[in-house]
Amino acid sequence: MSVDSPSLLRLEKTSLREQALSALRRAITTGQLRPGTHLVETDLSEALQISRGTLREAMRQLQQEGLISAGARGRLSVRHLDTKEIRDIFDVRAALESLAAHALASRPDRSGAVTELRGAVAEMERWAAANLEDRIEADLKFHRTMCHLSGNETLLHSWTSLEGSIRMSIMFAGVDRALKNMDAKRHLDIVDAIESGDAARAAATVREHMSGAAAVLVD
């Protein structure tokens, strides 16, 4: 079998793009790159040891995720989320996740999903003494799992497209506010509602959860 060199080069380029994307996403969502920071291609490509072309590909993806935005003359900078934007994000989350909870509660075979969600809450409890970033990831995993278990791929794709902005809104609210939203009991209330089989109650519990979370982050 002959080796397709161009294919290997494409693989290497893709790998570099994904590594750059991951590094930049982490720097933004952890606050290493603060809101409003201008992103200078020459500095970033040198720091990441990648070409400017590969960097641009990664930054285009970050724009799609809502983590960076273009300002005057197309200059890119780390996005700043204001109060209205955070409330809007959580309103959309409430719509998506209440739909997921409604679908799960409506299923006669929901026991497997309930078990998996209880496992996600248990994982949140295991990370309770960890750093803020790890706790955020455990929290998001619960919500991502609920959307995934709904079986609605469009719903999951829509939620995933918001994930970067969700992470930013939580991180930049500060440690004290962020931790208030990561109480396991609040998440168990959602699971209990799903387990009850009352779809309307499950959806309402999620909406209440999101309304409360947004209030904690912005008030």
Side-chain angles (χ1 to χ4, degrees):
M1 179 184 294
S2 63
V3 176
D4 184 351
S5 295
S7 293
L8 292 177
L9 291 174
R10 284 195 298 273
L11 179 61
E12 181 183 33
K13 184 178 180 181
T14 300
S15 177
L16 284 173
R17 173 189 174 280
E18 292 302 320
Q19 290 178 53
L21 180 59
S22 178
L24 288 169
R25 187 187 288 124
R26 183 181 181 86
I28 292 169
T29 57
T30 60
Q32 185 180 347
L33 289 173
R34 302 293 298 172
T37 301
H38 290 298
L39 303 175
V40 181
E41 280 188 9
T42 50
D43 294 345
L44 287 174
S45 60
E46 183 177 343
L48 294 169
Q49 296 290 291
I50 58 174
S51 71
R52 291 174 71 176
T54 301
L55 176 65
R56 287 190 195 108
E57 291 179 11
M59 290 173 75
R60 276 195 293 271
Q61 176 63 34
L62 292 173
Q63 274 187 281
Q64 292 177 7
E65 294 180 11
L67 297 182
I68 64 178
S69 58
R73 291 177 290 182
R75 292 185 66 186
L76 296 173
S77 60
V78 178
R79 184 179 171 202
H80 172 75
L81 296 175
D82 60 27
T83 297
K84 180 182 183 303
E85 286 174 311
I86 292 174
R87 287 194 179 279
D88 287 347
I89 289 166
F90 276 76
D91 282 346
V92 175
R93 281 191 72 183
L96 293 171
E97 295 188 34
S98 63
L99 178 60
H102 189 284
L104 290 172
S106 299
R107 290 182 185 171
D109 60 343
R110 59 187 173 277
S111 59
V114 167
T115 298
E116 192 165 343
L117 287 171
R118 290 198 184 282
V121 175
E123 190 169 340
M124 288 179 63
E125 293 174 325
R126 285 195 294 273
W127 286 102
N131 60 52
L132 178 59
E133 185 183 356
D134 288 334
R135 294 188 68 176
I136 289 174
E137 294 311 311
D139 178 276
L140 289 178
K141 183 178 179 181
F142 170 88
H143 295 279
R144 189 188 308 112
T145 297
M146 184 168 65
C147 292
H148 170 71
L149 291 171
S150 74
N152 186 326
E153 291 299 323
T154 301
L155 187 159
L156 178 61
H157 176 75
S158 298
W159 188 93
T160 302
S161 71
L162 289 173
E163 191 167 355
S165 296
I166 295 168
R167 193 178 281 107
M168 282 180 70
S169 65
I170 298 170
M171 180 64 72
F172 294 137
V175 175
D176 291 340
R177 291 186 181 188
L179 292 180
K180 287 181 182 178
N181 284 336
M182 297 179 197
D183 177 60
K185 173 63 168 61
R186 297 181 70 245
H187 293 75
L188 283 175
D189 289 343
I190 295 174
V191 183
D192 289 343
I194 291 172
E195 187 174 35
S196 75
D198 185 335
R201 173 190 165 196
T205 301
V206 170
R207 288 193 294 269
E208 182 180 351
H209 179 103
M210 290 302 160
S211 176
V216 167
L217 293 177
V218 303
D219 289 347

